[in-house]
Amino acid sequence: MQEPNSSGPQRVGLDLIAPEVYAPVLRRFTALACGAAVVAAVVLGLLVNWVVAVLAGVLLLAPAAIYAVSVRWRRIWLAGTVIEARTLTGLRRVDIAQATGVEILVYPGRLSRIVLRVTAGRGRQVIPLAMYTDAGGGRELHILGLRTLADALASSHLAAALGVSSMLVGQLRAEARDAGLGERPLYRAVHLVRVKDVVQPVALSDAEIAALG
């Protein structure tokens, strides 16, 4: 969950699902893409010519390879109050203490997601907090991630950030007593949006967040 950072505060991982968990799936996906590219290249080589066949194989394989590499490479950490997000294009940093906007968004569906979106100046970062299935299963951000996020949000001057911090503290308390999903603020937030029968992402109001906390 953590990575050492000798030049600053301890990094705490904020990945809802660590890349190591789905690495085998990505390997199978890449292998299937390679197989499909080879088959397509062979068929085109026999029917057209091998130059076209090779180009077609590369065009089929390249998107899958880029996707697999980007998923494995992408990580999110929190160092103090600074969110660090690593992508293929570099490292992006957003300081929660300097946030100009803090929102909780719910993406309803068969697999519903709830995320935290932090904006600081021109920088913006989305942090996944949990995802739940219609059957009541799902995955929530680990306790250390929730704790450090709540502390970082509490350092902000924004009322919205303080409200989200309180909601996350409520989530931690619910998890500490092993409460059911119906008593956990993150799940209740998702349920709140599900009953509205909408398909678009919904940003929770300050009042709704306060009620969940």
Side-chain angles (χ1 to χ4, degrees):
M1 298 299 182
Q2 301 181 5
E3 288 198 8
N5 185 359
S6 58
S7 61
Q10 184 86 3
R11 275 177 165 180
V12 176
L14 297 181
D15 296 289
L16 189 58
I17 303 177
E20 294 80 9
V21 173
Y22 46 73
V25 176
L26 289 176
R27 284 195 293 268
R28 289 194 294 271
F29 171 73
T30 305
L32 288 172
C34 288
V38 169
V39 171
V42 170
V43 172
L44 287 174
L46 295 174
L47 297 178
V48 187
N49 62 68
W50 287 105
V51 175
V52 174
V54 171
L55 287 175
V58 170
L59 290 175
L60 283 172
L61 181 58
I66 293 173
Y67 173 76
V69 171
S70 65
V71 171
R72 286 295 304 273
W73 183 253
R74 190 181 301 125
R75 297 299 298 264
I76 305 176
W77 300 276
L78 183 62
T81 63
V82 179
I83 304 167
E84 300 180 348
R86 187 180 68 190
T87 67
L88 282 177
T89 58
L91 188 66
R92 178 170 59 249
R93 293 181 173 88
V94 176
D95 191 346
I96 295 177
Q98 303 300 321
T100 53
V102 171
E103 299 171 283
I104 290 292
L105 301 174
V106 176
Y107 295 78
R110 291 186 176 180
L111 180 62
S112 300
R113 296 182 295 123
I114 178 169
V115 306
L116 167 67
R117 184 166 69 186
V118 179
T119 303
R122 295 184 179 180
R124 176 176 289 183
Q125 183 59 45
V126 171
I127 301 169
L129 298 176
M131 57 183 181
Y132 302 103
T133 66
D134 284 344
R139 181 183 291 267
E140 299 165 334
L141 185 62
H142 56 87
I143 292 176
L144 182 57
L146 291 172
R147 177 74 265 175
T148 53
L149 263 180
D151 290 344
L153 288 163
S155 70
S156 172
H157 64 282
L158 295 179
L162 297 178
V164 174
S165 177
S166 295
M167 186 185 75
L168 296 183
V169 170
Q171 175 74 18
L172 287 165
R173 288 172 177 166
E175 291 188 22
R177 65 176 187 272
D178 198 24
L181 286 179
E183 299 179 60
R184 301 190 179 202
L186 293 179
Y187 181 81
R188 288 166 54 210
V190 169
H191 180 71
L192 180 68
V193 173
R194 278 178 173 170
V195 297
K196 294 180 179 180
D197 196 24
V198 296
V199 294
Q200 298 297 323
V202 174
L204 298 187
S205 68
D206 291 346
E208 288 172 327
I209 291 172
L212 291 168

